[in-house]
Amino acid sequence: NAGVTQTPKFRVLKTGQSMTLLCAQDMNHEYMYWYRQDPGMGLRLIHYSVGEGTTAKGEVPDGYNVSRLKKQNFLLGLESAAPSQTSVYFCASKDRVWNSPLHFGNGTRLTVT
Amino acid sequence: SQQGEEDPQALSIQEGENATMNCSYKTSINNLQWYRQNSGRGLVHLILIRSNEREKHSGRLRVTLDTSKKSSSLLITASRAADTASYFCATDGTGTASKLTFGTGTRLQVTL
């Protein structure tokens, strides 16, 4: 039982390049989330999904797109990376039961030069 | 914008001492949760307290919630070196989809 798995763990991009971050969970959770973590700012919600085929914007969605084609996977895309997107990205999932906790992956550290 | 603000930003104590971290938030909540993050790792859920609860215990953890003051505290008793980590409070608001809003965290260092 792997929980939440994020790939890749590290990536360096040049400004303007694109990439996709993959999140996979094996807990059959309905809800999935993408957060970014920057020094001194805690975690901020980028996009989230309440089920297969549905996505919604969070607090800081600009410059990112997401897709949830399969229940177990939640993809985060950067179409044209910018230095401001240098961050650590965390995926999380949770059961739809009210008051259930988030389960996090170990993060992807992205540097945009 | 951050929902939760935590205090202190950093805390250094010796093994065996108690550690107290505080969290303040701004809007109505369904519940408040505390998470721990070890360096280079994802967050791990510690404890959840519902808006109608005032205090909750789990092992060496004690959480209080004061909805009138919009604040919470996390007490770790008899700290161990393995408790060294960052601790975050997160609020689950009254909207749908359980979108947690995280505080900025407290860095706890427990020395031998």
Side-chain angles (χ1 to χ4, degrees):
Chain A
N1 193 344
V4 179
T5 303
Q6 291 184 235
T7 53
K9 291 183 172 54
F10 303 94
R11 186 72 185 268
V12 179
L13 288 179
K14 294 182 189 290
T15 297
Q17 289 184 319
S18 63
M19 80 163 294
T20 300
L21 283 67
L22 172 64
C23 176
Q25 52 95 4
D26 61 4
M27 296 170 283
N28 201 35
H29 285 167
E30 291 289 338
Y31 296 173
M32 296 187 75
Y33 309 81
W34 277 106
Y35 285 89
R36 61 178 287 174
Q37 184 177 32
D38 301 293
M41 298 191 71
L43 279 78
R44 293 181 291 167
L45 182 63
I46 305 171
H47 285 280
Y48 64 98
S49 169
V50 298
E52 181 178 317
T54 71
T55 62
K57 295 180 180 179
E59 181 187 352
V60 288
D62 293 343
Y64 305 95
N65 56 76
V66 287
S67 65
R68 184 103 180 265
L69 298 179
K70 293 183 179 180
K71 185 178 182 179
Q72 63 267 34
N73 295 337
F74 195 27
L75 278 64
L76 178 70
L78 286 73
E79 290 186 345
S80 179
S84 61
Q85 294 178 304
T86 293
S87 188
V88 182
Y89 292 86
F90 287 98
C91 176
S93 70
K94 76 179 287 290
D95 188 81
R96 68 189 306 169
V97 172
W98 188 58
N99 285 337
S100 61
L102 291 186
H103 296 259
F104 281 85
N106 283 325
T108 294
R109 184 174 295 276
L110 175 65
T111 301
V112 183
T113 61
Chain B
S1 62
Q2 297 298 135
Q3 163 76 307
E5 294 293 332
E6 290 171 70
D7 171 58
Q9 288 187 328
L11 180 61
S12 182
I13 60 173
Q14 291 191 320
E15 202 171 47
E17 294 181 334
N18 296 340
T20 299
M21 291 159 255
N22 303 296
C23 169
S24 60
Y25 58 92
K26 298 175 183 174
T27 62
S28 297
I29 61 172
N30 279 325
N31 64 66
L32 186 144
Q33 303 176 34
W34 286 89
Y35 288 79
R36 183 187 74 229
Q37 184 180 33
N38 291 94
S39 180
R41 308 284 288 183
L43 281 72
V44 175
H45 179 259
L46 293 175
I47 193 166
L48 179 151
I49 186 165
R50 299 177 183 181
S51 60
N52 61 353
E53 296 177 314
R54 293 297 167 257
E55 186 171 314
K56 199 162 183 181
H57 296 256
S58 177
R60 294 185 294 112
L61 305 180
R62 172 179 171 255
V63 170
T64 61
L65 179 65
D66 186 335
T67 53
S68 66
K69 295 181 179 179
K70 291 185 168 60
S71 67
S72 174
S73 67
L74 172 67
L75 168 68
I76 304 174
T77 60
S79 295
R80 305 166 181 169
D83 294 327
T84 295
S86 291
Y87 292 81
F88 294 87
C89 68
T91 51
D92 188 351
T94 54
T96 58
S98 296
K99 301 188 296 290
L100 294 190
T101 304
F102 285 82
T104 52
T106 293
R107 293 187 307 277
L108 173 65
Q109 176 77 41
V110 181
T111 57
L112 296 172

